[in-house]
Amino acid sequence: MSLFNRRELLSGAAAIGVALPLAAQTPAPVAPGDAAATSLLAGIADRLIAEYPENASYLGIDKEARAGLRGRLTDRSMVAERRRMDWGAGRLAELRAIDRTRLSPEVALEVDVAAAAFGLAVDGWKFPFGDMAVLSGQNSFRNSPYVVSQLGGAFVDTPDFLDTKHVIANSLDAEAYLARVEGYAGQLAAEADRIGSDAAHDVIPPDFILDMVIGQIGAARAVPASKWGVVETLRRKCAAAGLQDSYVAKAQALVVEKVAPAMDRQLAVLRAARAEAKPDPSVGRFRDGAEYYAWLLRAGTTTTATPEEVHALGMAQSAAIQGEMDGLLKAQGLSKGSVGERMTALSKRRDLLFADDDAGRAKLLAYLNGRIADIRGRVPRAFATLVKGNLIIRRVPPGIQDGAPDGYAAAGSIDGTQPGIYYINLKDTANWPRYSLPTLCYHEGIPGHVWQGEYSNRLPLIRTLLAFNAYSEGWALYAEQLGDELGAYAADPLGRLGYLQSIGFRACRLVVDTGLHAKGWSFAQALDWFAANTGMPRAQLTGEVTRYCAMPGQACGYKMGHNAINRQRDRAKAALGTKFDLRRFDDAMVLSGNVPLTLLDPIVDRHIAALRG
């Protein structure tokens, strides 16, 4: 296929605004306003999938009428962002104008979810810098003051996306891949423009973040073009599909002629920003920084809690969890020192560590798979409606592991042909004592992110695309709790300590994130407090604090969401008494899909009413 035709893949067949069929079945209208509302929502979903076309590949719907999306990547330019901003404001007005009294409860929920997402997005776009990600599907949690950081940007996203989600079965797929390699160059160039624009607003990442990013990109740039990840990925996939090597040669040429020069330009802009960077990690240093952090916290938690309220809650819950851990540690004969000090000592026991080599990493991954197999047999006691839990476990690619989170996951495709992937960062196996691993499996895999995502994949496309950080992460933390309640630690007291440490770690995040961005804490102060109150390895916590500097507010969503789900469960128990059924409650949480925490009340009200009869 010619270069012209590859450009058609980038901008033609899936042009913005083209009406395309929904990925999931839309329910038949049952109230007077349902048909008009679902039509509006379907149109919004089509536009969202066109604006952020990677989601079509993530969901496995880049085929038939949507096949043109297979060759496109998100346009990361400021022009595209302003276009999205104008479009989003118009759709928000339409959503708010709908008469909800004319809607069935199911459709009213769809409208309320969309209005909440667009309301957050429009408020976020008011700040003329950074990356407003609320509507971007798979990356909706990743709102950041920085267009490029160790956590996000084309360099982080696109090579991994092409490796894990771009399917190549024939020549058209290979041509679409080449179109995306060309699009990768465009993304890097667009980001370079925005980095420069943000610097003009005095929005520059802290020096330690820029050092990390420049080091990562510089190391990748130094690799010969034939060994670049986007080339190696295509070589492997073409070989598996029986396709000719000419596609690989074309990809290598695109790297040399387009991608590498765009990467050079981005590096130059990043190095210029580094010359002006400061070590201060707080967004409070920005103009309107307090207002911006308040928005980030609202986006991350879908609540209106103030930084002061979040900070105080984190302090109280951390202390309570440490009290429970103290008793378990004493039962293990560990009674000297603070809880953090005792957990630090436990984390260094050689019998609890995997070797820091290929064999040790293989054993660690095998252990994770064993925990997933075990929890599969337990989840029927927690859910009346079951999904497959289609997942594989992989280590974070070494090329991005320095800046990547400790673990992350997402559900697979809607049709089940692509599994969810649960990633674990194995840069240093000392970060993962054995007792810390089961709860991670329940969080990222089953019954956490991958499991919950499969329920969302059954909903109309608009609901699959719109996700809220506090629900996603709150559910995953609640999934860790379910692991405990389902007896996963009955014969593993150290594993239960790991679970409580994990829950306490999320309470500590409330303190550290708000400390950094609302209370003027230095990086060192945040790290010291974190280490003293969790007992986790300082190397691991250093990466965590760096994460909160690059993506403020997001880490607060975990415990805030967990608290909200448990409040709803307590409310249902109190209302239903002997009629309360854990399986039915958990069904209500996942079958209603990913929602802002503010919409949990009506969902649970309906659940209570249904069981009361």
Side-chain angles (χ1 to χ4, degrees), residues 492-561:
D492 182 14
L494 290 184
R496 189 163 196 278
L497 265 171
Y499 153 66
L500 288 173
Q501 184 184 44
S502 174
I503 298 289
F505 164 59
R506 274 36 178 257
C508 287
R509 280 176 162 175
L510 301 178
V511 177
V512 174
D513 197 283
T514 53
L516 285 165
H517 298 291
K519 292 187 171 294
W521 285 16
S522 68
F523 190 101
Q525 183 180 0
L527 180 60
D528 288 344
W529 190 93
F530 219 168
N533 286 275
T534 64
M536 295 172 68
R538 286 183 74 91
Q540 187 175 11
L541 293 177
T542 298
E544 284 291 321
V545 177
T546 306
R547 167 184 170 178
Y548 313 153
C549 296
M551 197 163 56
Q554 186 270 339
C556 295
Y558 295 69
K559 198 67 182 71
M560 296 294 281

Side-chain angles (χ1 to χ4, degrees), residues 21-64:
L22 287 173
Q25 184 65 42
T26 302
V30 297
D34 280 1
T38 54
S39 177
L40 173 62
L41 292 169
I44 291 172
D46 288 336
R47 176 67 177 261
L48 286 174
I49 206 77
E51 290 284 0
Y52 306 102
E54 292 91 338
N55 289 299
S57 296
Y58 274 109
L59 297 173
I61 57 173
D62 55 350
K63 55 192 72 172
E64 298 175 354

Side-chain angles (χ1 to χ4, degrees), residues 268-343:
V269 173
L270 289 166
R271 286 171 176 146
R274 176 63 179 85
E276 305 295 326
K278 305 290 192 298
D280 184 355
S282 175
V283 297
R285 72 186 192 276
F286 301 159
R287 192 181 311 129
D288 300 322
E291 183 183 357
Y292 179 58
Y293 182 58
W295 177 79
L296 287 168
L297 204 57
R298 184 158 62 92
T301 68
T302 57
T303 73
T304 57
T306 66
E308 291 73 20
E309 290 168 339
V310 172
H311 192 87
L313 180 62
M315 294 286 279
Q317 293 200 315
S318 174
I321 293 165
Q322 286 188 44
E324 188 172 356
M325 293 175 70
D326 179 57
L328 289 174
L329 285 163
K330 286 176 178 175
Q332 294 297 311
L334 298 168
S335 58
K336 295 181 179 179
S338 69
V339 168
E341 288 168 343
R342 283 175 279 169
M343 290 301 296

Side-chain angles (χ1 to χ4, degrees), residues 314-553:
M315 294 286 279
Q317 293 200 315
S318 174
I321 293 165
Q322 286 188 44
E324 188 172 356
M325 293 175 70
D326 179 57
L328 289 174
L329 285 163
K330 286 176 178 175
Q332 294 297 311
L334 298 168
S335 58
K336 295 181 179 179
S338 69
V339 168
E341 288 168 343
R342 283 175 279 169
M343 290 301 296
T344 297
L346 191 65
S347 73
K348 295 178 180 178
R349 267 181 40 183
R350 296 183 64 85
D351 63 312
L352 297 176
L353 298 176
F354 293 87
D356 194 31
D357 56 25
D358 289 345
R361 289 180 176 84
K363 289 181 180 178
L364 190 154
L365 290 169
Y367 180 73
L368 297 180
N369 279 294
R371 293 302 84 211
I372 290 292
D374 175 79
I375 200 67
R376 285 186 188 278
R378 300 176 188 270
V379 289
R381 289 188 277 128
F383 300 87
T385 305
L386 300 174
V387 289
K388 184 177 180 181
N390 185 19
L391 71 87
I392 57 175
I393 305 174
R394 290 182 178 172
R395 68 174 295 189
V396 171
I400 62 171
Q401 67 186 7
D402 286 353
D406 295 322
Y408 52 96
S413 61
I414 287 174
D415 64 5
T417 57
Q418 297 181 49
I421 302 177
Y422 150 23
Y423 282 104
I424 181 169
N425 193 329
L426 297 182
K427 178 184 178 182
D428 184 354
T429 58
N431 288 337
W432 296 112
R434 187 180 300 267
Y435 61 77
S436 69
L437 293 170
T439 200
L440 181 73
C441 289
Y442 313 145
H443 182 107
E444 303 294 352
I446 300 173
H449 285 311
V450 171
W451 183 259
Q452 182 272 322
E454 289 188 17
Y455 292 92
S456 288
N457 282 350
R458 297 179 172 190
L459 297 173
L461 183 58
I462 187 70
R463 297 296 313 286
T464 306
L465 294 173
L466 296 177
F468 299 86
N469 177 68
Y471 175 92
S472 297
E473 300 301 351
W475 174 264
L477 207 54
Y478 177 71
E480 295 186 43
Q481 177 183 321
L482 287 177
D484 181 40
E485 293 171 342
L486 291 172
Y489 303 117
D492 182 14
L494 290 184
R496 189 163 196 278
L497 265 171
Y499 153 66
L500 288 173
Q501 184 184 44
S502 174
I503 298 289
F505 164 59
R506 274 36 178 257
C508 287
R509 280 176 162 175
L510 301 178
V511 177
V512 174
D513 197 283
T514 53
L516 285 165
H517 298 291
K519 292 187 171 294
W521 285 16
S522 68
F523 190 101
Q525 183 180 0
L527 180 60
D528 288 344
W529 190 93
F530 219 168
N533 286 275
T534 64
M536 295 172 68
R538 286 183 74 91
Q540 187 175 11
L541 293 177
T542 298
E544 284 291 321
V545 177
T546 306
R547 167 184 170 178
Y548 313 153
C549 296
M551 197 163 56

Side-chain angles (χ1 to χ4, degrees), residues 195 259 348 425 611:
I195 294 166
V259 184
K348 295 178 180 178
N425 193 329
L611 289 190

Side-chain angles (χ1 to χ4, degrees), residues 54 73-74 76 131 139 142 147-149 151-162 180 183-192 195 213 217 230 259 262-263 266 400:
E54 292 91 338
L73 297 173
T74 298
R76 299 190 181 210
D131 190 21
N139 290 327
R142 208 171 64 187
V147 174
V148 173
S149 73
L151 298 176
F155 166 73
V156 173
D157 301 335
T158 303
D160 179 64
F161 164 74
L162 290 172
R180 279 177 160 162
Y184 178 30
Q187 289 184 319
L188 290 166
E191 288 172 344
I195 294 166
V213 173
I217 299 179
V230 294
V259 184
M263 191 172 286
Q266 186 171 114
I400 62 171

Side-chain angles (χ1 to χ4, degrees), residues 119-159:
L120 275 173
V122 167
D123 286 347
W125 270 315
K126 293 175 184 176
F127 299 95
F129 55 81
D131 190 21
M132 199 300 298
V134 169
L135 301 178
S136 65
Q138 292 290 324
N139 290 327
S140 61
F141 66 94
R142 208 171 64 187
N143 300 289
S144 174
Y146 313 120
V147 174
V148 173
S149 73
Q150 81 280 14
L151 298 176
F155 166 73
V156 173
D157 301 335
T158 303

